[in-house]
């Protein structure tokens, strides 16, 4: 039914994007031959979606232990990426980065690094703004690979804040979260505090980055650390939201606060922070005492 509908789509780009989703669904179910047939049906002019579809098949085959099938489709994905014209270098690099991420997901660090090094060499040839966009993707991939120092170095060298504030902030925020996931909160905070307080991307700013780091810490059981991070948030939206998420992580077994002094102390801290929030609607909700 999905295929019948896809065939009726007139826009080549939208049809190719739709077919890629269907290809991945076939691959996820282990139907690699059918997925491969559909990938070949993607309009040859839509190289981005064709290469991504082939990489998706390779990824699922690798997950399924089908190493030869995976290697074959990864090779085809890279060949497809090589078909871009020289003036389409940004698109080519975007596709290569996608293939790199698929390698990272199956823990094939050797091939991931090979592609990232190749991408980096080509990205430096781009004009300043396109270079910043390409390097942002490459830096994020290095972050996922665990090479955070390399990722930060690329940001400093190739993503100047005067040119691309949002690109730089978005990349730093992502790298900060990688640090937080590794429970390296000091490093995470250093990066988050380099993100601008206001950007044209409302979901990417210093407060949002600090909020996500605090929530990661809370979910890891580091509740006191999470509260200390939340204390640094200066935003009437993100601060109460973050404190609420931290509160949800407090241990609870039917009567959580009756005889648990640590829980009481943490909840007192949360309410104290909320009572200092400038939002008047929250003042009346939180102005009470725990007994």
């Amino acid at each position: 039914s999905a295929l019948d509908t896809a065939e009726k789509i007139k826009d080549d780009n939208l049809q190719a994007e739709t077919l890629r989703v269907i290809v991945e669904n076939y691959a996820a179910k282990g139907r690699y031959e059918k997925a491969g047939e559909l990938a070949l049906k993607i309009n040859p002019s839509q190289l981005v979606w064709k290469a991504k579809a082939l990489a998706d098949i390779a990824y699922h085959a690798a997950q399924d232990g089908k190493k030869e099938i995976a290697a074959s489709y990864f090779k085809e994905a890279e060949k497809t990426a090589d078909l871009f014209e020289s003036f389409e270098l940004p698109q080519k690099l975007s596709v290569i980065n996608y293939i790199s991420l698929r390698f990272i997901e199956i823990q094939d660090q050797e091939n991931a690094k090979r592609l990232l090094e190749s991408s980096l060499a080509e990205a430096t040839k781009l004009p300043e703004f396109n270079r910043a966009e390409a390097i942002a993707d490459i830096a994020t991939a290095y972050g996922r690979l665990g090479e955070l120092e390399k990722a930060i170095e690329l940001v400093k060298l190739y993503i100047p804040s005067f040119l691309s504030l949002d690109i730089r902030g978005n990349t730093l925020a992502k790298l900060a979260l990688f640090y937080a996931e590794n429970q390296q909160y000091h490093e995470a905070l250093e990066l988050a505090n380099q993100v601008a307080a206001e950007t044209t991307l409302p979901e990417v700013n210093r407060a949002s980055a600090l909020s996500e780091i605090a929530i990661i810490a809370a979910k890891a059981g580091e509740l006191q650390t999470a509260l200390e991070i939340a204390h640094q948030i200066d935003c009437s939206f993100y601060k109460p939201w973050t404190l609420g998420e931290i509160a949800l992580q407090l241990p609870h077994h039917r009567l959580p606060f009756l005889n648990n002094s640590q829980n009481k102390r943490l909840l007192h801290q949360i309410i104290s922070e909320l009572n200092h929030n400038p939002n008047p609607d929250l003042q009346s909700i939180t102005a009470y005492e725990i007994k």
Side-chain angles (χ1 to χ4, degrees):
S1 178
L3 280 171
D4 289 343
T5 304
E7 288 176 2
K8 297 173 184 176
I9 298 173
K10 302 299 181 183
D11 182 274
D12 286 343
N13 181 65
L14 187 57
Q15 185 185 62
E17 183 181 1
T18 306
L19 285 173
R20 188 208 68 79
V21 174
I22 298 171
V23 165
E24 184 173 8
N25 274 273
Y26 271 114
K29 296 180 184 299
R31 298 185 61 183
Y32 307 116
E33 186 175 346
K34 179 65 175 178
E37 289 175 5
L38 286 177
L40 291 175
K41 288 185 177 181
I42 294 175
N43 194 312
S45 67
Q46 301 298 320
L47 293 175
V48 170
W49 298 117
K50 186 169 185 176
K52 287 184 176 183
L54 292 166
D56 290 339
I57 299 171
Y59 163 76
H60 286 290
Q63 291 284 76
D64 197 24
K66 310 291 185 182
K67 293 183 179 179
E68 290 185 6
I69 294 175
S72 174
Y73 277 106
F74 271 128
K75 187 175 181 180
E76 287 302 312
E78 289 187 48
K79 281 184 179 178
T80 302
D82 286 335
L83 295 175
F84 283 100
E85 299 289 344
S86 58
F87 64 87
E88 297 174 306
L89 184 55
Q91 294 95 313
K92 177 182 178 180
L93 293 178
S94 175
V95 167
I96 292 176
N97 193 70
Y98 186 86
I99 300 170
S100 301
L101 291 174
R102 282 310 203 186
F103 275 126
I104 291 170
E105 287 174 313
I106 62 169
Q107 299 182 331
D108 186 343
Q109 294 196 358
E110 184 179 346
N111 277 310
K113 286 182 180 179
R114 172 179 60 81
L115 288 181
L116 289 173
E117 287 168 6
S118 171
S119 291
L120 181 56
E122 293 202 69
T124 56
K125 302 172 186 175
L126 288 167
E128 210 166 22
F129 186 79
N130 296 116
R131 183 171 65 220
E133 288 187 316
I135 295 293
D137 286 340
I138 295 169
T140 301
Y142 270 114
R144 289 190 186 280
L145 200 56
E147 296 196 10
L148 286 157
E149 289 184 6
K150 172 78 171 179
I152 295 166
E153 180 187 356
L154 292 177
V155 173
K156 289 179 179 177
L157 284 173
Y158 298 109
I159 313 181
S161 58
F162 69 86
L163 173 73
S164 47
L165 182 65
D166 288 343
I167 296 172
R168 183 182 176 90
N170 193 24
T171 309
L172 288 172
K174 288 177 182 177
L175 297 180
L177 297 187
F178 294 144
Y179 271 122
E181 287 162 3
N182 291 326
Q183 295 184 308
Q184 294 175 270
Y185 302 116
H186 176 73
E187 292 84 352
L189 288 173
E190 280 191 346
L191 291 185
N193 282 317
Q194 292 179 44
V195 178
E198 293 183 14
T199 67
T200 58
L201 297 174
E203 73 280 7
V204 181
N205 52 43
R206 186 181 301 119
S208 66
L210 290 171
S211 173
E212 291 194 65
I213 294 168
I215 292 169
I216 288 172
K219 289 181 177 179
E222 301 283 350
L223 295 169
Q224 188 61 53
T225 299
L227 282 170
E228 289 168 5
I229 296 168
H231 180 71
Q232 298 182 41
I233 299 172
D234 184 16
C235 173
S236 60
F237 171 77
Y238 281 108
K239 191 162 195 172
W241 164 266
T242 307
L243 292 167
E245 289 294 307
I246 295 171
L248 290 174
Q249 305 307 315
L250 289 172
H252 54 89
H253 301 285
R254 293 191 178 179
L255 299 173
F257 304 108
L258 188 61
N259 296 309
N260 190 319
S261 60
Q262 183 183 17
N263 279 0
K264 283 184 179 180
R265 177 178 58 78
L266 288 167
L267 194 57
H268 268 299
Q269 285 183 257
I270 290 170
I271 291 175
S272 177
E273 288 286 348
L274 285 169
N275 280 335
H276 285 90
N277 189 79
N279 189 330
D281 294 328
L282 288 169
Q283 294 280 355
S284 59
I285 295 173
T286 60
Y288 65 89
E289 182 181 349
I290 303 171
K291 297 180 180 178

